[in-house]
Amino acid sequence: MLQVTNSPFGQEQVELLNRLLPTLTEGQKIWLSGYLSAALQIAGAPAGTAAAAPQAAQTVSAPSVSKDVTVLFGSQTGNSHKLAKKLAGKLQDQGLQVTLSSMIDFKPNALKKVENLLLLVSTHGEGDPPDNAISFYEFLHSKRAPQLNDMTFSVLALGDTSYEFFCKTGKDFDERLEELGAKRIAPRVDCDVDFDDAAEQWFSSVLASLGQAAAAAPALTAEAPNATQAAASTEYSRSNPFQAVVLENLNLNGRGSDRETRHLEISLEGSGIHYEPGDSVGIYPQNHPRLVDELIDAMGWQSDELVAIPKQAEPSKLKDALTSHYEITVLTKSLIEQLAALAPDSGLSDLLAEGKEQKLRAYCKGRDLLDLVQDFDLKGVPAGAFTALLRKLPPRLYSISSSAQAYPEEVHLTIRKVHYENEGRVRYGVASTYVSERLEPGQTLPIFVQDNPNFKLPADSDTPIIMIGPGTGVAPFRAFLGEREELGAEGKTWLFYGDQHFSSDFLYQVEWQRWLKDGVLTRMDVAFSRDTDQKVYVQHRMLENSKEVYQWLEEGAVVYICGDEKRMAHDVHAALLTILKQEGGLNDEDAAAYLSKLQQEKRYQRDVY
């Protein structure tokens, strides 16, 4: 509370400030601090004016900076790349000289010359840098990294609070740059899966700290959108999805399979949406109605009671909010901490006690919100207070399995239904079950296209490609081959594909056979792990053909991997190292350097999850 005896504010202003300040997020405080600082500079306020004001918000002491700014991004699925381009545009609009680059394309030796560095980076897997950030990350954390005493910087970290190492890559960069002597011009901001607002706050903080306010400080009032803004608002995106009509929803698995894989054909007619092979589609699903009903019942709520929804003017019925807006299937440490504060007698604080991190991780794995409220007797917590702590239901990304050249104004997806039993109850994948059980042709689905510049066909269509994609990981390669067929590409193509059973799980079998016959697909090697006494996977097929794989690599082939990151992608990477050592006569270090060089040359690309 503002209680300063020599305050320059009147009583009414003090009351307004005391009502406003406790409601601000850290990002809003940072933005406001930078906004006021810039406004004072523009107004020509005398030195010391800002210092005389009460320290109501967090401030960043930023050194004077030049107009040259380097923006580097590390991105696995394209989010950091997209945000980096947006930031670069804002910086250029303010008259700054901007260098925009992915981390893999940036020459580390030039780091010493950078005056202002802005990093946007996601965290992949269990705390790992994304593929196109690995080399820069390793350089910065090596003994070769230079002292950066003349550099200013700031970091935007993207992550997912459901993972243990939330935003770890961004945190690592932030700490390491400070260790090397660089000075922050704005605090690091860590973003969850719903990152738009946090990213915008960081943008504002960075722009203000760079001293690039408008010629006159704008009033904090809403303005009518101009023509350009109005046009931009009609573009379909993560925050403005297109309501697409579903054309087909087919099960690709045959009789007797214990799997269900849906082939979804979606109309893009009238949307103006464009995509390329390698991109993904984000879909906004709905939670399972059974889980929603059981959660409402367990908490003693009423389905039709009204709750507030962020950014919505009107409240929503509780059942609708839990079905379409809030995440209820994933537990995070942050959520449990907030619920423990809301219900101090629930016993949740014991789960969060120091030294019990492993117990907390084990509890969160495979459990959902219904488990939590039943295990810790949270019944009685008001619905409005409870839902205010939940994060927005995030979209699910799926690799596109069609070529826009082959299917104009359509996009195809390949989605495997996830369902399993845990703690005596059947669990359902949110999006995959929604698509499999409750989405019919003719219905609409909120979607957007996620550009993935890190997983693209080579510009030269004569370049040979090796595609490795078991299960639904084969989806983008259907798009790749469809595109190459339409363009009349003549480069060699080799597909490694695997699943459980040949007779029931061979996805898109007829299409692969047609492409083999027509020469669009040069070669295909398959591995059906449950059809033999000893399980055989795609990496085994690669090793069986190691000589030919190495020959293709030496001929300039680009290698693509799509699918499970924890097991499959790791095993395929190990198989490639073995092939390089066995066929190329390389030692461990040289084989690793070979693959690293392939990544630098964009000849080793992964779309893994």
Side-chain angles (χ1 to χ4, degrees):
M1 182 174 290
L2 186 64
Q3 292 180 335
V4 182
T5 56
N6 63 344
S7 168
F9 300 107
Q11 183 60 35
E12 184 178 354
Q13 291 174 312
V14 169
E15 291 175 359
L16 288 171
L17 285 169
N18 284 333
R19 286 204 302 270
L20 172 65
L21 295 178
T23 70
L24 298 180
T25 66
E26 286 304 309
Q28 289 170 326
K29 290 177 183 178
I30 293 167
W31 186 93
L32 185 59
S33 172
Y35 172 87
L36 292 173
S37 174
L40 286 169
Q41 291 174 19
I42 292 167
T49 303
Q55 296 295 313
Q58 180 181 355
T59 59
V60 180
S61 177
S64 59
V65 291
S66 76
K67 289 196 171 187
D68 293 321
V69 182
T70 298
V71 179
L72 299 182
F73 60 87
S75 181
Q76 194 72 33
T77 62
N79 287 328
S80 294
H81 185 189
K82 187 174 182 179
L83 288 172
K85 288 195 291 185
K86 185 175 182 180
L87 174 62
K90 288 177 177 287
L91 293 167
Q92 288 171 337
D93 288 344
Q94 299 293 351
L96 291 161
Q97 304 299 315
V98 181
T99 298
L100 174 66
S101 174
S102 68
M103 292 182 183
I104 198 170
D105 293 329
F106 182 76
K107 291 181 170 52
N109 291 335
L111 195 61
K112 186 73 174 176
K113 301 176 183 178
V114 173
E115 296 174 276
N116 305 303
L117 178 65
L118 301 177
L119 291 182
L120 301 90
V121 65
S122 62
T123 294
H124 187 57
E126 298 300 326
D128 300 320
D131 285 355
N132 68 350
I134 292 175
S135 57
F136 184 71
Y137 180 93
E138 291 176 346
F139 171 83
L140 204 67
H141 287 80
S142 72
K143 293 181 179 179
R144 293 181 293 127
Q147 284 298 303
L148 302 172
N149 299 321
D150 297 327
M151 175 189 287
T152 64
F153 77 96
S154 188
V155 176
L156 181 72
L158 273 64
D160 184 339
T161 52
S162 65
Y163 284 85
E164 178 183 357
F165 301 103
F166 172 61
C167 286
K168 182 179 184 299
T169 301
K171 293 174 182 177
D172 289 348
F173 274 125
D174 188 59
E175 293 172 5
R176 182 57 174 161
L177 287 168
E178 183 181 43
E179 288 175 1
L180 295 172
K183 308 295 187 299
R184 290 185 188 84
I185 53 173
R188 184 190 76 246
V189 171
D190 298 333
C191 301
D192 201 356
V193 288
D194 187 22
F195 53 78
D196 291 323
D197 288 346
E200 284 294 338
Q201 290 165 5
W202 182 75
F203 287 177
S204 298
S205 175
V206 165
L207 287 166
S209 296
L210 287 168
Q212 299 301 311
L220 286 171
T221 57
E223 298 180 4
N226 57 34
T228 302
Q229 291 171 328
S233 67
T234 63
E235 295 179 358
Y236 296 108
S237 64
R238 171 186 287 263
S239 57
N240 182 34
F242 174 62
Q243 297 293 332
V245 175
V246 176
L247 303 173
E248 290 286 356
N249 188 350
L250 307 171
N251 182 13
L252 294 176
N253 293 96
R255 184 178 302 172
S257 176
D258 62 358
R259 299 185 162 194
E260 183 177 344
T261 309
R262 309 304 297 194
H263 171 76
L264 213 61
E265 298 183 2
I266 302 169
S267 174
L268 299 178
E269 186 175 359
S271 68
I273 291 176
H274 302 283
Y275 68 87
E276 296 179 359
D279 292 342
S280 299
V281 159
I283 68 174
Y284 282 97
Q286 295 179 4
N287 286 309
H288 202 291
R290 185 181 303 119
L291 178 61
V292 171
D293 289 340
E294 290 175 347
L295 179 59
I296 291 174
D297 182 64
M299 291 298 293
W301 296 329
Q302 298 299 315
S303 295
D304 59 354
E305 62 181 293
L306 299 178
V307 294
I309 302 288
K311 297 185 180 180
Q312 290 189 14
E314 299 295 328
S316 171
K317 289 183 178 180
L318 177 61
K319 184 169 183 176
D320 294 339
L322 292 176
T323 298
S324 302
H325 186 81
Y326 288 117
E327 175 81 271
I328 63 173
T329 59
V330 175
L331 298 179
T332 68
K333 181 180 179 181
S334 174
L335 173 61
I336 294 175
E337 287 173 338
Q338 294 179 82
L339 285 172
L342 188 63
D345 298 328
S346 63
L348 283 171
S349 57
D350 181 64
L351 190 61
L352 296 163
E354 187 176 351
K356 293 190 176 181
E357 292 83 2
Q358 188 171 351
K359 180 181 178 182
L360 176 63
R361 288 195 297 269
Y363 181 82
C364 291
K365 187 175 182 179
R367 288 183 172 87
D368 56 29
L369 206 52
L370 179 59
D371 293 308
L372 190 73
V373 302
Q374 290 176 333
D375 292 344
F376 291 90
D377 192 22
L378 295 174
K379 187 173 183 177
V381 176
F386 194 101
T387 56
L389 304 181
L390 301 180
R391 70 177 185 175
K392 183 180 177 181
L393 181 64
R396 270 58 173 181
L397 292 176
Y398 294 97
S399 300
I400 291 173
S401 54
S402 59
S403 161
Q405 299 286 338
Y407 298 94
E409 296 197 304
E410 287 185 22
V411 65
H412 300 175
L413 304 177
T414 309
I415 302 174
R416 177 156 290 167
K417 182 180 179 181
V418 175
H419 60 106
Y420 58 95
E421 186 171 323
N422 185 48
E423 300 294 324
R425 184 156 55 87
V426 176
R427 316 294 169 132
Y428 304 95
V430 176
S432 64
T433 304
Y434 173 60
V435 166
S436 300
E437 296 183 356
R438 306 191 302 282
L439 188 66
E440 300 290 339
Q443 292 181 321
T444 59
L445 185 67
I447 70 165
F448 62 92
V449 167
Q450 177 80 41
D451 176 42
N452 187 358
N454 304 314
F455 202 74
K456 285 288 182 284
L457 281 166
D460 183 354
S461 61
D462 290 336
T463 302
I465 60 174
I466 300 174
M467 302 164 286
I468 306 155
T472 55
V474 82
F477 304 136
R478 180 177 182 263
F480 279 17
L481 293 175
E483 184 86 353
R484 282 206 157 190
E485 179 180 37
E486 291 298 317
L487 297 178
E490 297 184 359
K492 296 190 299 181
T493 58
W494 188 351
L495 175 63
F496 288 92
Y497 170 76
D499 214 311
Q500 289 192 350
H501 300 286
F502 172 86
S503 60
S504 60
D505 302 320
F506 199 164
L507 307 184
Y508 303 115
Q509 178 184 1
V510 173
E511 292 184 69
W512 309 130
Q513 290 175 335
R514 179 177 66 80
W515 277 325
L516 281 167
K517 179 181 177 182
D518 294 344
V520 176
L521 180 57
T522 308
R523 179 169 178 173
M524 184 175 190
D525 283 272
V526 298
F528 293 98
S529 59
R530 303 306 191 270
D531 284 347
T532 54
D533 293 335
Q534 188 172 357
K535 293 180 180 178
V536 178
Y537 298 107
V538 288
Q539 64 268 23
H540 298 127
R541 296 300 185 217
M542 293 171 63
L543 292 170
E544 290 171 1
N545 297 281
S546 61
K547 185 176 181 179
E548 292 85 352
V549 170
Y550 181 73
Q551 183 178 341
W552 278 51
L553 291 176
E554 289 292 284
E555 292 173 357
V558 180
V559 179
Y560 299 91
I561 302 173
C562 183
D564 172 58
E565 193 268 341
K566 288 185 179 178
R567 294 179 296 274
M568 183 278 298
H570 178 272
D571 292 340
V572 167
H573 186 87
L576 286 170
L577 289 173
T578 299
I579 289 169
L580 292 172
K581 289 185 287 186
Q582 180 177 304
E583 303 298 336
L586 306 178
N587 58 30
D588 290 345
E589 184 177 347
D590 289 341
Y594 190 109
L595 285 188
S596 179
K597 187 170 184 288
L598 290 185
Q599 283 186 316
Q600 292 279 351
E601 297 172 347
K602 296 181 173 57
R603 289 181 51 210
Y604 181 29
Q605 301 183 30
R606 306 194 313 163
D607 180 11
V608 295
Y609 35 85

